Amino acid sequence: MTPVFKKEFLGYFRSPVGYVILAAFHFAVIALALYFGYYRNSQATLFTLFVRLPWVLAIFIPAVGMRLWSEEKRSGSIELLFTLPISPRSAVVAKFLAALCFICVGLCLTFSLAITTSYLGDPDWGVIFSGYIGAALTSAAFLAITAACSALTKNQVIALVLSILICVLSTLIGSDWLAQFLANKVPTGMLDVLRLFSFEQHFEAMSRGLIDISAISFYVTLTLAFLGINMVVIER
Amino acid sequence: MVTVDRLVKDYGTLRAVDGVSFTINKGDILGFLGPNGAGKSTTMKMITGFLTPTSGKATVDGFDVTENPIEVKQRIGYLPESSAAYPEMTVVEFLTYVAEARGITDKEEVTSRLADVIVKCHLDSVKYRTIENLSKGYRQRVGVAQAIIHDPQVLILDEPTDGLDPNQKHEVRKLIQAMAKDKAIVLSTHILEEVEAICNRVIIIDQGKVLVDETPEAFKARKPGATIDEVFRDITNKNILA
């Protein structure tokens, strides 16, 4: 498993694509944090960074994970991979962890804003820590979705579009914006059910410092479920 | 060493491989011949464990490919038809990855195996170049190098000399012959002289079925005075007409 992990992780840095994705992610996250009033609010928190993070991740993570299986299928190297003495399960987990580590590099870069905050004020590090845990868990779930989509097709663009669609929709279904839009059109009970499946709602709790068991089990279940789908598709 | 027993592979309603059986032992070089789409690559992919047979079984060193895929894969070196590799990796990075994934964990051993295959496959001048910048001939040699890096007991080579110039073809054939003493080798090819030059057994497969399984000498003796190409044409055309 380790050689596949190593190859995949280092693969992100073998071409300019990895650096471009990291730079674009960093720029988008910081720009949104500033736009939503990082300085204006005069609060020593990273709330403005976390508030729109699931939306950025819903685009950034499919861009990172789209190649995981599509590229192997397109180039034919999947034949080499599965004639090595590696089980499909190890290959799925190794690729997933490698991409997750790359995403964590992206998340670590945004730590620059946390350092700025500690320079300007006295932030609650517990809340920041919980926010980053939430971001990592959201990333893991989005990545599992992307990996499963990537296993379905040899076309990276299809994998990208499909996974962005699923990630954005699953973020949207519990957003306040959709709740206001549907307020008088559907029963409140239905909106509550939708919120149970929403990334934004679960992440929001964690970005406020609440490490919620229901949120963690939501992320972990979803991640495992999509990794399972990935495995079934690959073994087919 | 390798036993293939009534192997069948269906793709939907199409039967790509239809009851192929053969056994090869250490020291054998089996030439797998047939027109395009005859089922050569599919049969090879089933032996390597990449494809699951619809029915029948293949065993390598006593291990069933379907039941013990990892044990089988440890004993096989495989050169895919597309000589698949990762274009953005350098030759050394790629071969190191394959060696490690093949279970060679000791760094010194990886280095010595790497040095060995680089010499055997004449890759020294390009070892730090990325694979995407190599010519087809060099890529093919990288493919052969990754197939032999772990010194496997069984080698499955899908068109190993494809894309090579005459000198390189000669080199690869010499390499295959030199390795044959302690290995069982299956290679597919379109080049019939290759079979004559290096194989001690020839199997002709067409439309998924084995038509001929004999020595190259017996194969050539089917039509005295004719070239091996003519004998091949006769057999495969007969099959089309039949």
Side-chain angles (χ1 to χ4, degrees), chain A residues 6 14 72 79-80 82, chain B residues 45 73 78 86 93 100:
Chain A
K6 213 166 84 179
R14 282 202 183 96
E72 298 260 12
E79 212 174 307
L80 179 77
F82 286 131
Chain B
K45 283 175 190 174
K73 288 170 187 178
Y78 174 52
Y86 300 100
E93 282 169 348
E100 287 174 355

Side-chain angles (χ1 to χ4, degrees), chain A residues 3-4 6-8 11 14-15 67 71-72 75-87, chain B residues 45 48-50 70 73-74 78 80-82 84-86 88-89 93-94 97-98 100-102 146:
Chain A
V4 179
K6 213 166 84 179
K7 177 193 81 72
E8 289 292 326
R14 282 202 183 96
S15 72
R67 65 190 271 279
E71 181 61 18
E72 298 260 12
S75 71
S77 54
I78 195 160
E79 212 174 307
L80 179 77
L81 179 65
F82 286 131
T83 48
L84 293 173
I86 296 166
S87 69
Chain B
K45 283 175 190 174
T48 60
F50 179 67
I70 301 290
K73 288 170 187 178
Q74 278 166 344
Y78 174 52
E81 195 178 3
S82 53
Y86 300 100
E88 70 281 6
M89 287 176 118
E93 282 169 348
F94 174 64
Y97 159 65
V98 174
E100 287 174 355
R102 289 266 178 209
Q146 67 76 24

Side-chain angles (χ1 to χ4, degrees), chain B residues 191-211:
Chain B
I191 307 156
L192 295 165
E193 310 91 77
E194 202 156 278
V195 175
E196 213 176 356
I198 60 172
C199 298
N200 59 9
R201 192 141 147 229
V202 54
I203 283 186
I204 295 190
I205 178 170
D206 194 14
Q207 295 171 32
K209 288 194 170 80
V210 172
L211 302 182

